[in-house]
């Protein structure tokens, strides 16, 4: 923990802040309460989202539309770019995939040049917030990025290699494009820092936890936390009195049990591979299956357990060729699976059934951890847009007091309630707002004089 000094025309004010203690005290001039333009970078394994917000002391707690947002998606050797600003100007372009960093830099330059520009210059950006998937055991709270913080993020990159390296590349890119802008890291693992030991310690040799940090971390925390607060707001209830299960269902899927605003259980674990069935990720499987594959046939050199290529292939299969895609053989996208189901594809039906079975089992487990449930939230791509998944998931949860209203569910647009009047559990569909939540963290730190 280090110290920052700041002043607003008067005497310096000392503030405690999460910076490594060995760094010198810095003096930062603040201009007092004002609106700030906040750039958010949200990297995925094969995508890069970015959004520019203008927030200040009077912004309130309701999500606001960004001034500008851009998204890059990579598929094979193709690169899709989509940019739009609040005035309605858009850019849509597909091209041959280039180097990720160069493509992201070119996308960001559209903030201050070209048809979608909303800034006169890059210097108008006051702070940059980054979604970092894994903070490890040391990085739990939003923190200003320093060389030491970057080293900590890199030290756990192997655990979430699909995302953390992309996050580091974004940080380094901003250092070059916006050298004077402070950068804040907000961690997907951070919300789950309140998990009790019985939820985060694996039934493995305890020395693995003590010496190697092998434990459940949990992910999607930025959105799980946002959805908990949004649920309390929509229901006009005190968050401290609510027991909530949030279902983040996108290409990556996880559940969280939230008691009084604190995460007490979640389905993802040491890596984002554990838990529910996902788009291309297997979710939880019997570890004996992996041992069986790795042990292989000792007479076959292709299956030699010392062969690093076999391990890499197994990792690739579990992360990229499993889940909905692996079972259905059709698509990693729930929409494609549903289309194939309607056409009579039996493997697509099986993929859907497995997805729902594991989702229901996970919801039941979260309810047991909470000792009851007051609200069940569906969020992210599938959760927000698939009434079929919401209906199927709710169908066997009447023992918890869950009753879905079919009409509300079919017509729901986030944010909306889809429970029937007789339901003891409130069912909500809430739009994921990770970018806005990251921007709010930046605004909060700024308002406290910490950046």
């Amino acid at each position: 923990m280090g110290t920052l000094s700041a002043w607003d025309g008067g005497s310096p004010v000392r503030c405690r802040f999460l910076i490594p203690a060995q760094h010198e005290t810095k003096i930062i001039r603040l201009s007092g309460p004002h609106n700030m333009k906040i750039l958010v970078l949200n990297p995925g394994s094969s995508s890069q989202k970015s959004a520019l917000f203008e927030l200040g002391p009077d912004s309130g707690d309701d999500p606001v539309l960004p001034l500008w947002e851009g998204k890059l998606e990579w598929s094979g050797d193709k690169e899709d770019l989509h940019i739009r600003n609040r005035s309605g100007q858009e850019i849509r372009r597909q091209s041959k995939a280039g180097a990720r960093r160069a493509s992201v830099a070119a996308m960001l330059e559209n903030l201050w040049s070209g048809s979608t520009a909303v800034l006169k210059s890059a210097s108008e950006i006051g702070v940059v917030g980054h979604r970092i998937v894994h903070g490890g055991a040391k990085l739990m709270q939003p923190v200003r990025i320093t060389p030491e913080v970057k080293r900590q993020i890199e030290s756990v990159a192997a655990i979430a290699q699909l995302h953390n390296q992309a996050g580091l590349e974004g940080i380094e890119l901003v250092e070059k494009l916006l050298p004077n802008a402070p950068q804040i890291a907000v961690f997907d693992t951070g919300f789950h820092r309140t998990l009790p030991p019985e939820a985060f310690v694996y039934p493995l040799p305890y020395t693995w936890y003590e010496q190697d940090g092998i434990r459940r971390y949990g992910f999607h925390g930025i959105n799980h936390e946002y959805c908990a607060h949004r649920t309390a707001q929509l229901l006009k209830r005190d968050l401290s009195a609510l027991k909530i299960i949030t279902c983040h269902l996108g290409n990556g899927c996880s559940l969280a049990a939230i008691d009084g605003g604190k995460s007490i259980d979640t389905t993802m674990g040491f890596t984002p591979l554990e838990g529910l069935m996902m788009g291309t990720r297997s979710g939880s499987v019997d570890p004996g299956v992996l041992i069986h594959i790795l042990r292989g046939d000792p007479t076959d050199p292709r299956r030699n357990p010392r062969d690093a290529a076999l391990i890499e292939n197994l990792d690739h299969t579990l992360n990229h060729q499993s889940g909905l895609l692996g079972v259905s053989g059709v698509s990693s996208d729930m929409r494609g699976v549903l289309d194939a189901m309607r056409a009579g594809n039996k493997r697509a039906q099986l993929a859907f059934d497995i997805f729902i079975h594991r989702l229901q089992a996970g919801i039941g487990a979260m309810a047991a951890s909470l000792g009851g449930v007051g609200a069940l939230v569906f969020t992210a791509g599938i959760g927000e847009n698939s009434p079929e998944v919401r209906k199927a998931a709710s169908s066997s949860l009447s023992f918890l007091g869950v009753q879905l209203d079919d009409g509300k569910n079919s017509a729901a647009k986030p944010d909306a309630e889809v429970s029937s009047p007789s339901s003891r559990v409130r069912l909500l569909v809430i739009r994921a707002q990770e970018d806005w939540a990251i921007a709010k963290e930046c605004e909060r730190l700024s308002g406290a004089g910490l950046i």
Side-chain angles (χ1 to χ4, degrees):
M1 184 78 73
T3 303
L4 290 179
S5 292
W7 71 83
D8 185 13
S11 301
V13 177
R14 294 275 174 181
C15 308
R16 293 189 67 74
F17 184 57
L18 285 170
I19 57 174
Q22 70 268 26
H23 287 264
E24 296 179 359
T25 295
K26 296 183 179 180
I27 305 297
I28 299 176
R29 293 183 183 271
L30 302 178
S31 58
H34 64 285
N35 282 1
M36 175 179 284
K37 290 184 173 67
I38 302 168
L39 177 64
V40 174
L41 270 65
N42 186 343
S45 56
S46 59
S47 67
Q48 174 70 58
K49 294 191 294 183
S50 186
L52 182 74
F53 294 87
E54 185 169 16
L55 300 178
D58 300 323
S59 297
D61 294 325
D62 288 321
V64 298
L65 290 173
L67 300 175
W68 179 100
E69 56 188 329
K71 185 175 183 180
L72 277 164
E73 292 184 291
W74 292 276
S75 179
D77 62 349
K78 299 294 183 184
E79 177 180 288
D80 288 295
L81 172 68
H82 182 205
I83 297 173
R84 64 182 175 186
N85 63 23
R86 195 184 285 181
S87 300
Q89 281 82 23
E90 283 191 283
I91 296 173
R92 289 182 181 271
R93 184 166 60 239
Q94 185 178 84
S95 58
K96 186 176 181 179
R100 181 179 180 123
R101 186 176 301 190
S103 296
V104 175
M107 177 179 71
L108 294 179
E109 286 172 4
N110 286 278
L111 275 162
W112 53 83
S113 65
S115 61
T116 62
V118 293
L119 303 174
K120 292 180 180 178
S121 72
S123 62
E124 292 182 53
I125 296 171
V127 62
V128 181
H130 297 265
R131 175 194 173 217
I132 302 296
V133 166
H134 209 314
K138 295 182 179 179
L139 298 175
M140 296 288 189
Q141 302 275 14
V143 59
R144 184 166 180 171
I145 295 169
T146 65
E148 176 59 25
V149 168
K150 286 172 61 178
R151 282 192 288 272
Q152 289 293 336
I153 294 170
E154 190 167 16
S155 73
V156 293
I159 305 175
Q161 56 187 321
L162 297 181
H163 298 87
N164 263 34
Q165 197 57 46
L168 285 166
E169 288 183 8
I171 292 168
E172 291 166 357
L173 174 61
V174 170
E175 287 173 346
K176 293 182 178 180
L177 287 179
L178 308 168
N180 297 319
Q183 299 191 70
I184 301 296
V186 183
F187 301 97
D188 249 349
T189 47
F191 179 55
H192 302 297
R193 62 187 176 273
T194 52
L195 292 178
E198 60 268 26
F200 72 71
V201 176
Y202 285 114
L204 298 167
Y206 194 71
T207 54
W208 290 19
Y209 164 61
E210 286 185 308
Q211 298 175 12
D212 303 315
I214 304 296
R215 52 157 290 175
R216 181 182 309 280
Y217 287 101
F219 299 88
H220 293 144
I222 297 169
N223 193 45
H224 284 303
E225 183 173 19
Y226 165 76
C227 285
H229 284 273
R230 185 64 172 161
T231 297
Q233 187 182 21
L234 292 170
L235 298 181
K236 296 180 171 56
R237 296 280 303 279
D238 187 338
L239 179 58
S240 65
L242 285 174
K243 294 179 182 289
I244 303 169
I245 299 172
T246 47
C247 307
H248 181 109
L249 307 176
N251 191 50
C253 301
S254 70
L255 307 179
I258 303 170
D259 193 354
K262 295 181 178 180
S263 174
I264 65 164
D265 205 355
T266 190
T267 52
M268 281 183 169
F270 179 66
T271 74
L273 184 56
E274 188 182 355
L276 302 177
M277 182 184 191
M278 305 176 223
T280 62
R281 283 174 251 171
S282 64
S284 297
V285 296
D286 179 355
V289 172
L290 311 184
I291 294 169
H292 171 75
I293 296 297
L294 288 172
R295 182 177 289 135
D297 180 354
T299 65
D300 185 347
R302 294 172 300 173
R303 296 171 64 88
N304 190 319
R306 292 186 295 274
D307 186 353
L310 174 62
I311 297 173
E312 290 303 313
N313 181 62
L314 182 59
D315 178 78
H316 181 79
T317 299
L318 292 172
N319 277 292
H320 297 284
Q321 297 177 331
S322 299
L324 291 174
L325 176 63
V327 176
S328 72
V330 173
S331 177
S332 63
D333 191 313
M334 181 60 77
R335 293 169 294 186
V337 172
L338 288 169
D339 287 343
M341 274 174 54
R342 297 183 190 107
N345 186 307
K346 292 184 178 179
R347 279 180 55 185
Q349 181 69 58
L350 177 61
F352 181 83
D353 291 345
I354 295 171
F355 185 92
I356 297 300
H357 171 76
R358 291 189 165 214
L359 176 56
Q360 290 173 328
I363 291 171
M366 295 298 107
S369 293
L370 286 167
V373 57
L376 178 63
V377 177
F378 295 95
T379 184
I382 298 172
E384 294 168 27
N385 299 301
S386 178
E388 299 92 342
V389 167
R390 296 193 297 264
K391 180 176 181 178
S394 303
S395 64
S396 296
L397 300 178
S398 58
F399 72 98
L400 292 175
V402 171
Q403 295 290 337
L404 186 77
D405 184 297
D406 286 339
K408 291 179 183 177
N409 181 52
S410 297
K413 301 292 182 186
D415 294 343
E417 182 169 358
V418 294
S419 45
S420 71
S422 61
S423 182
R424 299 198 309 272
V425 176
R426 306 288 290 273
L427 278 67
L428 299 172
V429 181
I430 295 180
R431 188 176 305 283
Q433 295 280 5
E434 288 174 331
D435 294 346
W436 179 84
I438 293 168
K440 283 295 288 183
E441 285 291 348
C442 294
E443 187 270 330
R444 180 183 65 81
L445 292 176
S446 175
L450 299 178
I451 57 175

